[in-house]
Amino acid sequence: MVNEAVKKLVSYGLECGLIQKEDITYTINSLLEVLGIEEYEDPGEEYSQVDLEPVLGELMDYAYEQGILKENTVGYRDLFDTKLMSKLVARPSQVIGQFLELYQKSPREATDFYYRFSQDTDYIRRYRIKKDVKWTTETEYGTLDLTINLSKPEKDPKAIAAAKLAKQSGYPKCLLCMENEGYAGRLDHPARQNHRIIPVTIQGSKWGFQYSPYVYYNEHCIVFNSRHIPMKIEHDTFCKLFDFVDQFPHYFVGSNADLPIVGGSILSHDHFQGGNYEFAMAKASAEHFFTVKGFEDVESATVKWPMSVIRLKGSDRERVIALADRILTAWRGYTDEKAFIYAETEGEPHNTITPIARMRGTDYELDLVLRNNITTPEHPLGVYHPHAELHHIKKENIGLIEVMGLAVLPARLKEEMEHLADVMVSGEDLRANESLEKHADWAEGVIAKYPETFGQKETLTSEKVMEILKAEIGLVFCQVLEHAGVYKRDEQGQQAFRRFLECI
């Protein structure tokens, strides 16, 4: 049986173009070495359209039975199947060469190849990504995207315990360092032997280009500095973003803010995120046009969006960058006590920006999302952060992806919402269950909002309720973004927004 699985994996590599027919014997022997097998007999059968997940499963089961795999848990299996897949993956120089050859034809052909390659190598695990729950919700701001991410494996207790006992390592320094390429991994650090990075030049320095293994949206890419240096929003940030879209005009690219609470999960390594996807924010219309003296050639407007967004557009990138830099400088030092906006308190800075760049035909477009990370006793996680009444749905930081209109929701919600739908149909006490109690007030509000649906008990089903819950979660996410907006959408908030615009 193991010979069959080995041949199936090699056949998969051939079908995907990861290896050529001249590589077959070499690849078989490489896999045998990993599996501790000294002899191989061809099964005498040809395989096509191989389903990767069960084949890898067979090989890992064999490895565990033979004592090669120490524990039969997700953590150990992920390390081992990555090692198996690495035997089908070309050296970095070959992959880079193929990418650059295609890039000469068109940037899109190059990224199409690299995105498919990153999935074929199992660096992006297709069979896990398809488990993610995705839907959309219509709002006054456009169609918001929502996903419950299930593709990140939960850490099992044995792996957590083993990682605590293992010698602590500082290599690679973080998940975004160049040194991850080809790294075998540990229980507390994913294996990346099947991963290849494309080098790009940004502002004259070496950067890396890769896809996120969890692809929250189409061609979700990460662009990262080859040096492990902290994120910083400054003039050069805007230059770097436009450098990237100049090279890949079919992609957008943006940066998380550079302060805690309003920033991303990895502030220690300078990086951007981009991709081939148009978010609701990018589709949102301009709302209030204004002109900055000396920058009459740059179209400037606020955007109809729950957060506070300034959109700049022009044919001259240097002019767009210059105005963006002026806005950033103005915002960094801006205080408006009436609107509860403080540039700093006790020497701690609060104001920063989440910038997103894209091409619109031949024009450069830059969205600047104003952020502030001040906290108060009433809102210890942040005044411009989801407030406590929304934490049952979304408590985590509102980073770049959420800012643009995609809610990345915690995995716990899938099971909780399914259970909640059942309880809402049966009429049981919502507060009797520990995992559902936090949703009780919200769920009671949902029931009151749809009296006709919940009043017809004989036709009420969990499926109907689940559709309602999804729509309502989308509206909660809309509220989350409104909470994160420094200027509220009411007249008072928009007047305060215009006061800042007058100071630019």
Side-chain angles (χ1 to χ4, degrees), residues 267-284:
L267 293 176
S268 61
H269 196 122
D270 193 15
H271 73 284
F272 308 136
Q273 294 183 80
N276 188 11
Y277 190 73
E278 190 171 39
F279 287 92
M281 192 180 82
K283 298 175 186 175

Side-chain angles (χ1 to χ4, degrees), residues 25 34 56 61 84 88 133 169 191 232 299 324:
T25 301
V34 175
L56 289 175
D61 289 345
L84 289 171
L88 277 66
V133 180
S169 171
K232 188 176 182 183
E299 184 182 288

Side-chain angles (χ1 to χ4, degrees), residues 366-379:
L366 186 64
D367 284 350
L368 304 173
V369 187
L370 306 181
R371 311 299 302 274
N372 179 290
N373 75 344
I374 195 167
T375 61
T376 63
E378 184 185 0
H379 301 294

Side-chain angles (χ1 to χ4, degrees), residues 7-27:
K7 187 167 184 180
K8 282 179 183 177
L9 186 54
V10 172
S11 300
Y12 169 86
L14 277 170
E15 280 192 308
C16 294
L18 293 175
I19 63 171
Q20 304 302 315
K21 62 180 181 180
E22 294 84 2
D23 304 319
I24 291 174
T25 301
Y26 176 88
T27 306

Side-chain angles (χ1 to χ4, degrees), residues 204-383:
S205 61
K206 184 182 176 184
W207 282 55
F209 166 56
Q210 65 185 34
Y211 290 105
S212 164
Y214 307 114
V215 285
Y216 294 136
Y217 51 87
N218 187 49
E219 296 175 51
H220 177 187
C221 69
I222 301 170
V223 189
F224 55 101
N225 202 315
S226 64
R227 295 184 298 148
H228 183 78
I229 56 175
M231 293 185 67
K232 188 176 182 183
I233 303 297
E234 57 186 353
H235 174 273
D236 279 356
T237 304
F238 308 133
C239 300
K240 291 168 184 174
L241 293 175
F242 280 141
D243 263 12
F244 182 79
V245 296
D246 267 338
Q247 295 176 67
F248 301 94
H250 59 300
Y251 276 13
F252 80 88
V253 69
S255 174
N256 267 304
D258 55 354
L259 294 178
I261 296 175
V262 295
S265 57
I266 305 179
L267 293 176
S268 61
H269 196 122
D270 193 15
H271 73 284
F272 308 136
Q273 294 183 80
N276 188 11
Y277 190 73
E278 190 171 39
F279 287 92
M281 192 180 82
K283 298 175 186 175
S285 59
E287 192 167 42
H288 167 67
F289 287 91
F290 63 95
T291 302
V292 178
K293 189 176 179 181
F295 290 92
E296 292 79 5
D297 55 327
V298 179
E299 184 182 288
S300 309
T302 62
V303 178
K304 186 181 179 183
W305 191 245
M307 296 184 71
S308 309
V309 185
I310 297 171
R311 179 168 292 161
L312 309 178
K313 186 162 74 171
S315 57
D316 185 338
R317 66 173 258 177
E318 299 309 318
R319 295 288 293 158
V320 175
I321 289 168
L323 180 51
D325 192 38
R326 183 159 159 177
I327 292 169
L328 174 63
T329 302
W331 179 244
R332 289 279 196 199
Y334 185 75
T335 291
D336 182 349
E337 293 185 11
K338 191 176 177 183
F340 203 77
I341 292 169
Y342 295 87
E344 58 89 20
T345 54
E346 299 179 357
E348 181 188 348
H350 296 304
N351 289 348
T352 185
I353 278 176
T354 299
I356 301 107
R358 64 184 75 87
M359 297 299 297
R360 291 290 189 194
T362 56
D363 284 339
Y364 294 89
E365 188 170 271
L366 186 64
D367 284 350
L368 304 173
V369 187
L370 306 181
R371 311 299 302 274
N372 179 290
N373 75 344
I374 195 167
T375 61
T376 63
E378 184 185 0
H379 301 294
L381 297 182
V383 172

Side-chain angles (χ1 to χ4, degrees), residues 88-193:
L88 277 66
V89 184
R91 293 287 179 101
S93 58
Q94 293 171 272
V95 178
I96 293 165
Q98 195 169 349
F99 180 91
L100 294 178
E101 186 180 330
L102 290 168
Y103 185 86
Q104 296 306 310
K105 297 178 184 177
S106 86
R108 190 182 292 270
E109 279 194 51
T111 55
D112 283 350
F113 151 73
Y114 183 46
Y115 189 52
R116 186 177 61 252
F117 169 85
S118 298
Q119 295 172 82
D120 290 342
T121 61
D122 209 34
Y123 163 71
I124 296 172
R125 296 173 183 259
R126 288 187 181 105
Y127 44 86
R128 285 189 184 163
I129 302 298
K130 69 182 181 183
K131 294 176 183 177
D132 291 349
V133 180
K134 298 183 179 184
W135 74 96
T136 60
T137 296
E138 297 300 322
T139 73
E140 62 180 295
Y141 306 106
T143 306
L144 299 183
D145 293 296
L146 299 101
T147 179
I148 297 176
N149 184 262
L150 304 171
S151 53
K152 271 189 181 180
E154 297 287 336
K155 290 185 177 178
D156 59 83
K158 285 186 178 180
I160 293 170
K164 283 182 180 177
L165 295 173
K167 181 183 176 184
Q168 294 301 299
S169 171
Y171 180 89
K173 288 180 181 176
C174 79
L175 292 169
L176 294 179
C177 284
M178 287 282 194
E179 291 77 17
N180 282 282
E181 185 177 45
Y183 186 59
R186 313 180 296 271
L187 287 172
D188 62 348
H189 194 105
R192 291 289 182 254
Q193 291 146 303

